Amino acid sequence: MDIGIISMRYAKALMGYAKSVGAEELLYKRFDMLHRSFSKYPELSKALANPVLTVREKFALICTAAAGDAPIGREFTRFISLVLKNRRESFLQYICLSFLSLYRKDKHIAVGRLITSVPVNRAIWERIRDSASSLLHVSMELQTEVDPTIGGGFIFDINDFRLDASVATQLKKVKQQFVDKNRRIV
C-alpha cells in the first residue's frame, strides 16, 4: 500500500476518535512535539524501524519523544499501542504529519515561518502574527528562524506562499539583470 493512504487512514480515524472523546487539543500537542522530535532527531525513525527493539522499548521511545516528562494521556497511549500492534511504527512520522494537517484544517490554523538575519523581538513577532491572522481569517502559528546568510530583510513563508524580501535575493536579482543585459550586448 501507499504510505500516504496508510498514514491518512490512521490520522482520520484518530481525528474522529479524538473528536468523539474531546481530546483533540491534547493529541495535537503530543503529535506536534513528536513531529518536532522526528525533525530534530532523524535517528528516531531508524530506531523505530529497528527489529531488535522490543515493542515496549519502542513505546517508551515514542512516549518520551512526544511528551518528555509530561503526562501522556490515555488516548495517545492507546493509539500508539494500536500502531505498534499493527506494526505500523515505520509510518508513524507520516501519520503524525497527516494528523497535524487534519487538525489545522479543522481548526482553521495556518502555519507561518519567518526567517530573519537577526532575532525578532516579541512585539514585532506578535504584530506579524496578528496581521497575517486577520488577513487570512485564521489563527496563526508563527515560527521564527534566524539565518544570517540572508544578509538582511526577511523571508516569510505561509502555507504555499513565500514573500522573499531578503538582501541576498535582491542582490541575486540585480546580478542576474546585469548578466542578461551583458548577453544582449555581445
Side-chain angles (χ1 to χ4, degrees), residues 152-173:
F154 64 91
I155 300 171
F156 186 60
D157 292 326
I158 186 163
N159 296 338
D160 294 333
F161 178 73
R162 175 174 256 202
L163 175 61
D164 191 343
S166 65
V167 172
T169 302
Q170 299 300 322
L171 290 173
K172 285 179 188 175
K173 286 180 181 178

Side-chain angles (χ1 to χ4, degrees), residues 97-164:
L97 289 171
S98 298
F99 179 80
L100 291 174
S101 177
L102 287 172
Y103 180 86
R104 288 175 180 147
K105 186 176 180 183
D106 187 54
K107 300 295 183 185
H108 304 291
I109 299 172
V111 179
R113 194 174 96 199
L114 179 66
I115 303 169
T116 57
S117 60
V118 294
V120 176
N121 66 21
R122 185 73 178 171
I124 293 173
W125 180 85
E126 287 176 359
R127 200 168 100 200
I128 292 170
R129 187 196 62 192
D130 294 342
S131 297
S133 293
S134 64
L135 285 172
L136 297 172
H137 305 293
V138 294
S139 57
M140 274 295 291
E141 287 182 3
L142 184 62
Q143 304 162 354
T144 58
E145 189 177 315
V146 177
D147 183 7
T149 61
I150 66 171
F154 64 91
I155 300 171
F156 186 60
D157 292 326
I158 186 163
N159 296 338
D160 294 333
F161 178 73
R162 175 174 256 202
L163 175 61
D164 191 343

Side-chain angles (χ1 to χ4, degrees), residues 34 38 43-66 72 76 80-81 83-85 89 92:
L34 186 58
F38 275 119
E43 303 86 23
L44 182 59
S45 298
K46 293 176 186 173
L48 292 177
N50 187 350
V52 175
L53 291 178
T54 65
V55 172
R56 286 185 182 170
E57 291 171 332
K58 289 179 182 182
F59 181 80
L61 185 63
I62 294 168
C63 290
T64 303
I72 295 173
F76 185 79
I80 297 302
S81 297
V83 169
L84 292 172
K85 177 185 167 194
E89 59 268 12
L92 189 59

